[in-house]
Amino acid sequence: MRKIDKIETTLYRLPLPEAVESASSGVMTDIDMVMVRLWDSDGAEGCGYNPLFANQGAALVEIINNVCADIVMQEDPSRIEWIWHRMWRRLHYAGRGGPVSFAIAAVDTALWDLKGNSLGQPLWRLLGGFNPEVRAYAGNIDLNFPIDKLLAGADRSLADGFKSIKMRLGKPTLREDLSRVEAMRNHIGSDIELMADANEAWRPDQALRALRALREFDLVWVEEPIQPDNFTAYAHLRNNGGVPLSAGENLHTLAEFAALISAGGIDFPEPDLTTCGGITPWMKIGHLADAHGLPVTSHGVHDIHAHLLAASPNNAYLEVHGFGMNPYIEHPLVIRDGIATAPDRPGHGMEFNWSFLEKFRVS
């Protein structure tokens, strides 16, 4: 029987092409990336990674090396559910979310990649095989950009093949936000889909005023208008704001998504495999949304989420995030006519340029 006989965890710090800002995170100039690589006794390899804010990756490395590695070693790599639950049970007292979910996610993704590589199958087929073509949108991070630069970024997204674009909200005044949304809508016209992300910028009362003022701009959704775990307020905003809501990148467990959906607080659940514990719980969240008649979208790590959405019959949109791995991988995801196609390469299909990445290695 095959066994996992090697695990390697590496921390990189990657510079962003330019400084970007969101209301919740401030200005960012670089990110940490935690990479987990697994090898089994037959020589097959899998890798998973987790990008997060700079100076936070070391905590994940410690959790993986000191807890997860002992659980994974010598296990049958095909028993992914078993391994996931063992990691979760060992760590849940100190976690049940937060860095624990992030650390487990990197290992879980590596396990799924290993399985795909072992079987010669892409993840989207292993996970259900619905349709490799998924509608994609450009997840621009642009709150610090003046309006002319904001619009120039939209032009680049359109030139890159997108038909749907997201912009950031969260300026000091609602008037500033509205003027930026109006400029964007006038610039791209009515045929291009427009989303907006507030990144938790408002109190519930402020969010209600903002949503009502944004109705005229025909937004697909407003994302995270308030703090992520105020499920009662999400339901109030959904019932009274007049604009669909998206949220989930800051929810770290299946139980949190169940609570938000049960509260009637969401139109577009938006799990992120890197924050909710990996591919294993992401697919459960997608099925939970489907059982409630809701579409599922994604946040970040678009090269892997393309597979998860391609396996989901209720997929809505793939966010192609500003923190992409394009400089570090072969075969970056291509967008044509607003559509991303999950690759048929085995596993997640990402081939990393390890020699180039080595320049950014922290530990």
Side-chain angles (χ1 to χ4, degrees):
M1 181 182 296
R2 290 186 304 129
K3 300 289 185 181
I4 298 170
D5 60 13
K6 183 180 179 182
I7 179 170
E8 180 181 285
T9 310
T10 311
L11 174 62
Y12 303 94
R13 186 154 300 142
L14 307 179
L16 299 178
E18 66 176 321
V20 295
E21 181 182 14
S22 68
S24 60
S25 307
V27 176
M28 295 160 280
T29 59
D30 49 18
I31 61 171
D32 280 3
M33 186 180 78
V34 177
M35 176 72 73
V36 175
R37 300 173 73 182
L38 302 173
W39 290 265
D40 70 13
S41 51
D42 287 346
E45 179 183 348
C47 69
Y49 72 95
N50 202 323
L52 65 166
F53 299 139
N55 301 310
Q56 298 181 15
L60 273 62
V61 172
E62 290 298 312
I63 293 171
I64 294 166
N65 287 343
N66 293 327
V67 182
C68 298
D70 288 343
I71 294 172
V72 168
M73 287 294 290
Q74 299 305 307
E75 283 287 352
D76 177 352
S78 68
R79 297 180 65 188
I80 297 176
E81 282 279 2
W82 166 253
I83 297 171
W84 191 95
H85 278 274
R86 287 195 66 207
M87 291 189 291
W88 184 256
R89 292 300 301 170
R90 183 78 61 84
L91 288 161
H92 85 284
Y93 184 71
R96 298 181 66 213
V100 165
S101 287
F102 282 67
I104 292 174
V107 179
D108 183 73
T109 301
L111 286 166
W112 278 103
D113 186 48
L114 175 60
K115 183 172 185 176
N117 290 333
S118 298
L119 298 175
Q121 289 289 315
L123 287 183
W124 70 271
R125 291 185 183 275
L126 289 180
L127 294 168
F130 179 67
N131 185 346
E133 295 186 348
V134 179
R135 191 167 186 84
Y137 73 87
N140 302 319
I141 301 178
D142 48 31
L143 190 62
N144 56 323
F145 295 174
I147 287 180
D148 59 346
K149 189 172 182 178
L150 174 73
L151 302 182
D155 289 339
R156 285 193 298 274
S157 295
L158 295 175
D160 288 341
F162 291 94
K163 302 293 185 183
S164 310
I165 294 172
K166 189 169 78 178
M167 62 178 291
R168 253 55 183 189
L169 303 173
K171 284 295 188 181
T173 68
L174 179 57
R175 181 177 299 174
E176 290 176 84
D177 279 329
L178 294 175
S179 67
R180 290 164 65 85
V181 176
E182 182 177 23
M184 177 68 86
R185 174 53 80 197
N186 290 339
H187 184 72
I188 64 176
S190 59
D191 292 337
I192 300 299
E193 293 181 315
L194 180 61
M195 297 86 159
D197 189 347
N199 291 114
E200 311 168 47
W202 303 313
R203 302 186 308 261
D205 61 301
Q206 295 170 322
L208 185 58
R209 289 181 58 240
L211 290 172
R212 289 174 172 173
L214 289 163
R215 287 174 177 174
E216 64 178 292
F217 299 112
D218 189 28
L219 300 179
V220 177
W221 68 58
V222 169
E223 185 175 335
E224 282 200 320
I226 58 173
Q227 66 187 53
D229 51 2
N230 190 344
F231 305 143
T232 300
Y234 264 99
H236 177 70
L237 294 175
R238 188 185 183 209
N239 290 331
N240 297 283
V243 180
L245 301 180
S246 172
E249 68 184 77
N250 284 295
L251 301 183
H252 297 156
T253 67
L254 174 62
E256 289 177 314
F257 277 94
L260 177 60
I261 291 172
S262 295
I266 196 69
D267 296 283
F268 290 89
E270 183 199 23
D272 181 336
L273 72 92
T274 70
T275 72
C276 74
I279 293 171
T280 298
W282 194 103
M283 293 303 298
K284 294 174 183 177
I285 294 164
H287 294 321
L288 176 67
D290 196 21
H292 284 81
L294 296 173
V296 66
T297 182
S298 67
H299 170 265
V301 289
H302 47 261
D303 296 282
I304 303 178
H305 277 131
H307 289 275
L308 278 56
L309 289 163
S312 303
N314 58 324
N315 72 70
Y317 297 91
L318 169 73
E319 179 185 37
V320 178
H321 201 272
F323 299 168
M325 292 290 106
N326 288 12
Y328 312 103
I329 62 173
E330 303 291 334
H331 314 297
L333 196 67
V334 175
I335 309 299
R336 291 191 177 91
D337 294 324
I339 300 296
T341 302
D344 257 331
R345 296 183 297 275
H348 52 52
M350 300 176 71
E351 300 173 27
F352 287 90
N353 185 333
W354 299 111
S355 60
F356 183 45
L357 273 170
E358 190 64 26
K359 297 192 301 182
F360 306 102
R361 182 171 181 157
V362 176
S363 64

